[in-house]
């Protein structure tokens, strides 16, 4: 059981206590991983506390099992000298969810029992008043269903593995939250998952597809990178890339504007006028961003497509150094 030190093909990130501690913790981590590799036999299974795409991992690894022998072959901490390992690890760290800072003192204090009280059932009129008051109303349905029809001002966070990290990152601390889901079961599952990061209790819920009542449902188009390429030939459009810094640095559509999703709510007033086509790596974050943009009054198209198809669609790809700062939105 290797805790947060030795992960599958990676290691725990050393900057969660603050950037000033990261170099010393990366060096200590290097020593810890080397000690494990020295003391344990090749066939020993490596069972970490997290990984598999978690933001707690310093780098992404697709492996879901490993052994000490396998780690000796693939883990950077066992292939590089200490100075090279620490330098590479620190250079490869990207942003992590804002709620991590709140989780540390909560975990240290010890959590209370989660509040899983069934939320008050809310109708369209009541939800509309909450949206008008600035509260967050989150729609858990599939991103395609949301784009096809949703309560004006609600936001799309499709239920699944990406919900907690993304909603926990963007939701302002203490903000009242109402959930809309396909079913009571989906709302209950999301409520349980969010309680694990301290988002509780819910202000209300609508356990069923939304109905607009007196107000018609809102919608926006969904397309792919082929559609974007065709649109750019017809007229100028703003391409908004909401991926994180290292994703952008590895390659991005030439001429695109870069605003990571977790910065988007604070940059809305600085975005250029006119149609915006928004994309991410696989579609989830683009759907969240599209819902935020649409709620703010922008004409938006969500690209629900794998980024690797952008080049195949004929879109020119540029790159930037990994250390480049996020491109600012024009004031």
């Amino acid at each position: 059981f290797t805790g947060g030190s030795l992960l599958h093909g990676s290691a725990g990130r050393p900057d969660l206590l603050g950037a000033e501690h990261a170099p010393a913790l990366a060096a200590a981590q290097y020593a810890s991983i080397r000690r494990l590799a020295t003391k344990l036999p090749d066939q020993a299974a490596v069972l970490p506390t997290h990984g598999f795409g978690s933001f707690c991992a310093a780098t992404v690894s697709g492996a879901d099992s490993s052994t000490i022998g396998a780690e000796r072959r693939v883990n950077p901490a066992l292939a590089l000298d200490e100075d090279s390992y620490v330098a590479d690890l620190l250079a490869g760290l990207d942003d992590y969810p804002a709620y991590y800072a709140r989780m540390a003192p909560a975990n240290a204090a010890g959590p209370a029992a989660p509040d899983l009280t069934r939320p008050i059932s809310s109708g369209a009129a009541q939800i509309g008043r909450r949206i008008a008051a600035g509260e967050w109303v989150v729609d858990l349905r599939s991103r395609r269903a949301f784009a096809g029809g949703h309560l004006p001002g609600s936001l799309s966070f499709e239920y699944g593995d990406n919900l907690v990290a993304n909603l926990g990152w963007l939701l302002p601390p203490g903000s009242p939250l109402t959930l809309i889901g396909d079913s009571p079961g989906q709302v209950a599952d999301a409520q349980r998952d969010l309680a694990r990061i301290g988002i509780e209790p819910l202000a209300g819920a609508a356990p069923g597809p939304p109905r607009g009542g007196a107000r018609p449902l809102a919608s926006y188009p969904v397309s792919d990178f082929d559609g974007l390429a065709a649109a750019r030939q017809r007229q100028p459009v703003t391409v908004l890339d909401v991926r994180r810094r290292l994703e952008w640095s590895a390659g991005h559509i030439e001429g695109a504007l870069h605003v990571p999703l977790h910065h988007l709510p604070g940059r809305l007033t600085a975005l250029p006028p006119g149609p915006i086509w928004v994309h991410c790596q696989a579609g989830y974050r683009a759907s969240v961003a599209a819902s935020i943009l649409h709620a703010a009054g922008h004409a938006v198209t969500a690209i629900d497509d794998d980024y690797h198809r952008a080049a195949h669609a004929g879109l020119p790809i540029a790159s930037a150094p990994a250390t480049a700062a996020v491109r600012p939105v024009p004031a």
Side-chain angles (χ1 to χ4, degrees), residues 145-249:
F146 179 91
H150 56 270
L151 294 179
S154 62
L155 303 177
S156 174
F157 286 82
E158 181 177 348
Y159 180 70
D161 292 341
N162 292 311
L163 170 70
V164 169
N166 285 283
L167 181 54
W169 201 331
L170 270 69
L171 182 71
S175 178
L177 175 64
T178 297
L179 297 181
I180 297 172
D182 275 322
S183 65
Q186 185 182 63
V187 171
D189 288 344
Q191 180 183 17
R192 179 198 63 233
D193 294 349
L194 293 170
R196 290 171 174 162
I197 63 166
I199 298 178
E200 56 180 338
L202 296 178
R211 293 174 176 82
R215 300 176 66 193
L217 296 179
S219 64
Y220 53 78
V222 176
S223 190
D224 54 20
F225 285 110
D226 290 318
L228 172 60
R232 287 182 109 186
Q233 292 179 350
R234 294 192 299 268
Q235 62 179 344
V237 297
T238 297
V239 179
L240 179 61
D241 184 336
V242 295
R243 297 176 301 155
R244 292 186 299 279
R245 177 180 61 88
L246 293 182
E247 294 173 296
W248 164 270
S249 299

Side-chain angles (χ1 to χ4, degrees), residues 51-71:
F52 324 117
S54 165
F55 283 102
C56 292
T59 56
V60 176
S61 169
D64 58 8
S65 64
S66 188
T67 62
I68 289 295
E71 292 305 312

Side-chain angles (χ1 to χ4, degrees), residues 12-22 25 55 90 93-94 96:
R13 59 188 302 157
D15 59 334
L16 297 180
L17 294 181
E20 68 274 17
H21 301 295
L25 290 177
F55 283 102
L90 297 181
L93 294 173
D94 211 334
Y96 56 84

Side-chain angles (χ1 to χ4, degrees), residues 268-296:
L268 291 173
T269 58
L271 292 174
I276 295 176
W277 288 60
V278 60
H279 80 87
C280 61
Q281 194 71 25
Y284 189 95
R285 287 170 290 174
S287 71
V288 176
S291 70
I292 293 172
L293 291 165
H294 195 251

